[in-house]
Amino acid sequence: MINNDVLRSIRYMLDLSDGKVVEITRLADADFPVGKEDVEAFLKKDNEDGYVECGNAVLAHFLDGLVIHRRGRNPDLPARPVEKRVDNNVVLKKLRVAFELKDVDMHAVFEAAGFPISKPELSALFRQPGHKNFRQCGDQLLRNFLKGLTLRVRGG
């Protein structure tokens, strides 16, 4: 899925202002160079003037910041390195951690979106890429997860 769409979906889901998105992004790294103007450019539609593609580094910092924002920082553990490559599986994992979702919750989110998946399908999404049962998370699956999670968070 396009990083801009993921950022746009999460921003809508949590009803975040542009300033809050910047604040959350900087929770992962206070020195990360992102400003309100950047967020405004990321949130524009791709055919609008001023649209800028949201890079992997920005989305990775935002997702890590979201985990810290929702769950708090653990002072006993060293900060995790930010992901270099962000794909749909990474987005799914980060959102699962941020919203503290168990398997039952994940199934309920997919069910709410009208896109039920089986237990083996779900567990395959969270395996390591080299594992024989690993499954790549497709755009449709992530889109439906974001839709179901939005329904759960916003109440609908």
Side-chain angles (χ1 to χ4, degrees), residues 1 6 16 22 28 38 41 49 57 94 99-100 103 110 118 128 136 146 150-151:
M1 217 170 129
V6 173
L16 302 171
V22 171
D38 299 319
D49 286 341
K94 297 286 183 178
F99 288 91
E100 302 181 57
D103 283 356
F110 281 112
S118 68
Q128 292 298 318
Q136 193 66 43
L146 287 166
T150 299
L151 291 171

Side-chain angles (χ1 to χ4, degrees), residues 25-111:
T25 304
R26 289 196 176 143
L27 285 175
D29 179 3
D31 299 328
F32 189 72
V34 67
K36 198 172 177 184
E37 314 77 42
D38 299 319
V39 172
E40 289 171 6
F42 297 145
L43 297 174
K44 291 184 180 207
K45 299 286 184 188
D46 58 357
N47 57 359
E48 289 182 58
D49 286 341
Y51 168 83
V52 175
E53 192 172 304
C54 179
N56 283 335
V58 175
L59 187 60
H61 280 83
F62 175 72
L63 291 171
D64 284 350
L66 186 64
V67 170
I68 294 167
H69 173 72
R70 297 204 37 102
R71 296 186 64 166
R73 188 181 306 269
N74 187 342
D76 300 336
L77 297 176
R80 293 179 55 108
V82 176
E83 301 280 340
K84 300 248 186 288
R85 172 100 173 90
V86 178
D87 61 8
N88 292 350
N89 292 68
V90 170
V91 172
L92 202 61
K93 287 175 188 175
K94 297 286 183 178
L95 291 174
R96 181 182 192 171
V97 170
F99 288 91
E100 302 181 57
L101 300 172
K102 306 283 184 244
D103 283 356
V104 176
D105 302 319
M106 296 287 289
H107 286 290
V109 166
F110 281 112
E111 196 73 43

Side-chain angles (χ1 to χ4, degrees), residues 117-130:
I117 65 171
S118 68
K119 287 184 181 192
E121 284 177 306
L122 182 64
S123 67
L125 296 170
F126 296 103
R127 297 197 183 282
Q128 292 298 318

